[in-house]
Every structure is written in C-alpha cells, then in structure tokens.
Amino acid sequence: MEYRTEHDSMGEMKVPAGAYWGAQTERSHENFVIGTETMPREVIKAFSILKKAAAITNNKLNRLSDEKCEAIKAACDEIYEGKLWDHFPLVVWQTGSGTQSNMNVNEVVANRGNEIAGSKLLHPNDDVNMSQSSNDTFPTAMHIAAVSETEERLIPAVERLIETFERLEEENRGVIKSGRTHLQDATPIAFSQEISGWRYMLKNNLEEIRASLKWLSKLALGGTAVGTGLNCPEGFAEMVAREVSELTGHEFVTDENKFHALTSKDALSFGHGALKALAANMMKIANDVRWLASGPRLGLGEITIPANEPGSSIMPGKVNPTQCEAVTMVAVQVMGNDAAVGFAASQGNFELNVFMPVIIYNYLQSVRLLADSIDSFNKNCASGIKADREKMHHNLHNSLMLVTCLNPYIGYENAAKVAKKAYAENTSLREACVALGFLSPERFDEVFKPEEMI
C-alpha cells in the first residue's frame, strides 16, 4: 500500500495515499483496534448536515469566505449521499467524547473540499470545525441522527403495522373467541377486540416516541468545549439550528442551557425508554400471535399465519413462527441496549459525558432493528393472519369460564360448583347446572348466550 505523510499537533503520520482522512483519524485507527462496530453511518450523515449548516452560518456571519463555504458544502453533500463511506473507518470504541470521529469528518471534508476546489483551501480545524468543538458537535450529531432515523424510519414502520391491524379488526368483526388470562381459559372476547389491544399498544408507543422528540430536537452546538461558547460568535447556535432544520426537514432548536446539553444525555435515555416500551409491546404481540397459531393440530390453532420456510432440518413438513421469533429476539436486544444507554447516560462527569459513542450506537441500533423487524413481521406474518373461525367456535363453547354469565342467576359459589362438576365429569355446563338443580334446561338456554358476553 502507498502512503502519504500528514501531520497534526503531535507530529507526522503515514496515511494511506487514497484516503481523505488525515493524521488524527489515522492515530485513532491505529490505537483503537477494538471490535468490528464502526461509527454508525447515520452519525456520519448527521455530521455532514452539521458541518454544512455550520459553514453556511459562519459564512453568513462573515467568518468564512464564499469559496471555503462552497467547498465544505460540496464535500458534505458527497458524504450525505454515501459516496465517501470508505473514508470513515473509526470504531465505536474510541474516545468517549467522539472527538476522533469529529476530526475524521473534519479531515475528510477538508481534503475532499480541497480536491474539489483544486487548491489547499481548507484546514480541518480552522475552517471545517470553525465555531465548534468536538464536545458540542458530537452530541449535536447524535440528536440529528436520532431524530432523523426515528421520524423517517421507525415511526412509518409502526404506522404501517397499525394499518394492518386496523384492516384485520374490520375483517374479524363478529368473530367471538375465548379470552385467556394467566394462560388459562377466561370469558369471551371478540377477535377484533383482541386485535384492537395490539393496535392501541402501538398507537400509545407512537405517542411516547413522538413525545421524546421534543428533547431530542435540542442541539448542543454553540456550547463548544465546556458549555461557555468560547470562540463561538453570538447568534451562531440559533442560526445553525435553523439551518439544520432546513436541511433535514425536521424541527431543531438550540438547547437553552449548553452546560446541560454537553454533560447530560437524559434526552437519549428518555427516548430510548420509549423504544424499550415499543420493544416490550412487540414482544407481547409476537408471543400472542405464535401462541394463537400454535399447532397445527396440538396447539391452540385459532389463527393461521403465512408459511414462509421449512421449520426443521429433520421433521418434514414442519413450519415455525419465525417472524415472531425474530421480533422477540429484537425486543431482547433493545431491552439490553436500554440498560447500556441508561448506564452510559449516568456517566456525565463535570462538564462532559464521555460515553457518547456507545449511547448513540445502541440508540440507532434499536431504531434500526425495531423498524426492520416490524416491517418484516408486518409483511411476512401479520398481514396474512387468518382466523380459524371453526376452531375459535369450538374452543369458545368448550370453555368452562362461560359459567361466569350464570353468576347473576345462581351466584358465584353455585356457578363454581357447576364448572367443577362439568370439568370433573367431562360434561357440558348445561348438563352440570341442570343436574345440580340450579336452573331448568329452558332457563339455562335463555340466559346462557356466550356471544353476548363480550
């Protein structure tokens, strides 16, 4: 491999000749050979927006020339479009402030911008990082990435699954089945009512997620090193927030207290809590679906789901609820991520939190996994749910908990005697109730109407 020599404040470094990064990136690349998890592309895209917005703002404040501004914008556009991914090699497990990734972006923008301009025009610190510090740019990029991915990727996926459940509700109105509590028979429920419970879980999750965006939309940029705004011109923070809003199509504002913005990660911790709540509900929905579809002959078998692939390498004809299993595994990962985010968010020491890369890595992974698994579950499972009405009817009319409708007529204790007798003798509730002398056959038929118990 051919190399070129770059330098930074610590001296000279050999850098791969074709790389746009410089000495500081190379130092990190060599010093942190830890794991395979590289800085998420969503963070790099957010940085390209941030650097472009900062250049535009510095230009408007007469601190950056038109020529330099255009070169930075052009390089940032290429990063945003994904043309330069190979030039961002750094791992998550680096400095906890994300300084090295900020410098990675600064160096790539400067070197590519200089190439575009055809001259040694830009300096990574003096021009690309003008009015900024890694301590305020990295948390800003975190929030830009979190809001953008949540609004553009996760929320639409949840909305699509809600639409599927709305359709299934309409298709299954009037279908009555046995309810279940504690994994035991319970009183009747309409299948559409059961589905509506799934739908409302997701509806509430969306409200919780959207509520978290209020705090994630606040940007740290303008606080520079410790929150004082040293070397940042007046008005920069507000102007750059407006530029970021215009570039992304999402509303951002400057955080009113930069000391809070640099050291506290409560917004991401709170936001991930909403993701965990969604994961918990998806775990419940997926488990309900695979329980209801269990069988095909020896389980509940009250619904059928699409058969997508063979389920066993040894048992011919076996088909498994694989989409449900994928969702539940994602839910477990998101719950684990939430613990990591919470612990990391608690580590703000004095003026800075230095666990930021792991926080945003976990947050974005949760968004990505939830969005992808929900779309997969919707497309390959939920959209094809069919009620086995015959099995539902059979289970309903064999449920001993239908005896509950007799409470107003024979009392709780007598109804319990009926249920126990019917179970012990494997007879119907009607036969047991009449045999015990609690109701005549005619009266039993008059009051015993399972379909009206919902």
Side-chain angles (χ1 to χ4, degrees):
M1 181 182 289
E2 294 184 2
Y3 292 88
R4 70 179 192 276
T5 300
E6 290 274 349
H7 76 276
D8 59 12
S9 60
M10 294 185 70
E12 293 185 342
M13 287 290 293
K14 288 185 176 181
V15 177
Y20 285 127
W21 69 75
Q24 290 199 49
T25 302
E26 186 60 27
R27 291 186 192 279
S28 179
H29 195 210
E30 294 179 10
N31 291 337
F32 295 93
V33 184
I34 304 173
T36 59
E37 298 84 1
T38 55
M39 190 59 63
R41 289 183 174 183
E42 298 92 341
V43 173
I44 304 303
K45 283 183 66 175
F47 260 115
S48 73
I49 294 166
L50 182 164
K51 297 297 178 181
K52 182 177 180 178
I56 293 170
T57 301
N58 282 319
N59 178 251
K60 289 181 177 179
L61 291 171
N62 297 316
R63 303 186 84 225
L64 188 72
S65 71
D66 291 346
E67 186 181 12
K68 289 183 176 182
C69 181
E70 290 305 313
I72 291 173
K73 286 166 59 180
C76 287
D77 286 344
E78 289 189 1
I79 294 172
Y80 185 84
E81 292 163 6
K83 296 178 179 179
L84 304 177
W85 289 141
D86 292 342
H87 299 274
F88 298 96
L90 301 187
V91 295
V92 170
W93 320 107
Q94 54 167 281
T95 173
S97 63
T99 299
Q100 292 149 9
S101 281
N102 178 48
M103 284 308 304
N104 187 183
V105 175
N106 289 336
E107 290 174 343
V108 171
V109 170
N111 286 324
R112 177 58 184 144
N114 288 339
E115 190 174 70
I116 292 170
S119 64
K120 193 75 171 177
L121 182 68
L122 300 173
H123 187 280
N125 297 82
D126 296 336
D127 300 311
V128 185
N129 203 57
M130 180 183 286
S131 309
Q132 306 153 58
S133 161
S134 296
N135 295 353
D136 66 351
T137 58
F138 199 86
T140 296
M142 291 167 73
H143 280 210
I144 293 172
V147 169
S148 298
E149 290 300 298
T150 301
E151 289 198 336
E152 295 170 17
R153 191 168 188 168
L154 180 59
I155 289 176
V158 177
E159 289 175 334
R160 286 188 286 270
L161 184 53
I162 288 174
E163 290 174 1
T164 293
F165 286 150
E166 287 174 343
R167 174 179 61 78
L168 290 173
E169 279 182 68
E170 290 301 317
E171 291 176 0
N172 290 282
R173 292 202 183 279
V175 179
I176 313 300
K177 62 184 290 292
S178 179
R180 294 179 177 87
T181 58
H182 303 270
L183 296 180
Q184 304 295 308
D185 305 344
T187 55
I189 186 174
F191 188 36
S192 59
Q193 292 173 327
E194 193 166 45
I195 297 169
S196 77
W198 301 340
R199 176 171 60 84
Y200 259 77
M201 289 178 194
L202 300 181
K203 178 176 177 290
N204 287 345
N205 286 144
L206 279 186
E207 293 178 8
E208 292 156 359
I209 290 168
R210 287 190 173 111
S212 74
L213 297 178
K214 172 183 176 181
W215 289 277
L216 288 170
S217 67
K218 295 183 178 184
L219 303 182
L221 206 62
T224 63
V226 295
T228 60
L230 180 68
N231 293 342
C232 178
E234 185 177 352
F236 176 84
E238 293 76 14
M239 290 175 66
V240 81
R242 288 194 293 271
E243 292 293 341
V244 170
S245 300
E246 186 173 331
L247 290 171
T248 62
H250 306 296
E251 184 177 352
F252 291 97
V253 296
T254 189
D255 197 304
E256 57 269 30
N257 188 302
K258 300 299 187 296
F259 307 103
H260 158 265
L262 267 59
T263 195
S264 174
K265 300 297 146 234
D266 51 6
L268 283 154
S269 182
F270 180 82
H272 200 280
L275 303 184
K276 180 180 70 172
L278 172 60
N281 279 343
M282 286 304 302
M283 172 78 84
K284 181 265 191 295
I285 291 168
N287 278 335
D288 279 359
V289 169
R290 62 176 171 176
W291 270 106
L292 290 172
S294 61
R297 290 185 172 177
L298 305 182
L300 297 180
E302 291 188 344
I303 65 172
T304 60
I305 56 178
N308 297 319
E309 61 272 322
S312 172
S313 61
I314 189 173
M315 294 175 281
K318 196 173 193 299
V319 177
N320 296 328
T322 51
Q323 291 294 320
C324 298
E325 292 165 6
V327 167
T328 55
M329 285 193 290
V330 164
V332 168
Q333 183 65 54
V334 172
M335 292 174 191
N337 287 353
D338 191 69
V341 169
F343 281 122
S346 73
Q347 298 303 303
N349 296 321
F350 301 113
E351 278 65 60
L352 188 67
N353 178 291
V354 291
F355 283 67
M356 290 191 286
V358 72
I359 290 174
I360 195 59
Y361 177 82
N362 280 279
Y363 185 97
L364 293 173
Q365 185 191 59
S366 293
V367 168
R368 190 183 315 114
L369 289 177
L370 284 168
D372 289 351
S373 65
I374 287 170
D375 269 336
S376 182
F377 176 74
N378 186 22
K379 176 184 176 182
N380 299 309
C381 182
S383 62
I385 289 175
K386 302 291 183 185
D388 187 329
R389 300 189 181 201
E390 183 177 340
K391 186 64 178 288
M392 286 183 176
H393 183 271
H394 171 80
N395 288 346
L396 174 66
H397 286 270
N398 277 277
S399 171
L400 296 176
M401 290 305 99
L402 296 179
V403 76
T404 306
C405 71
L406 300 180
N407 287 0
Y409 306 100
I410 65 175
Y412 179 94
E413 292 191 10
N414 286 339
K417 291 177 183 178
V418 171
K420 290 177 180 179
K421 181 178 177 63
Y423 179 71
E425 299 176 2
N426 196 26
T427 62
S428 68
L429 292 172
R430 186 177 189 274
E431 290 174 291
C433 186
V434 172
L436 289 169
F438 294 144
L439 291 174
S440 67
E442 294 77 18
R443 180 60 174 159
F444 183 93
D445 292 340
E446 183 180 333
V447 301
F448 187 79
K449 295 180 179 179
E451 286 75 12
E452 295 181 5
M453 293 175 68
I454 63 169

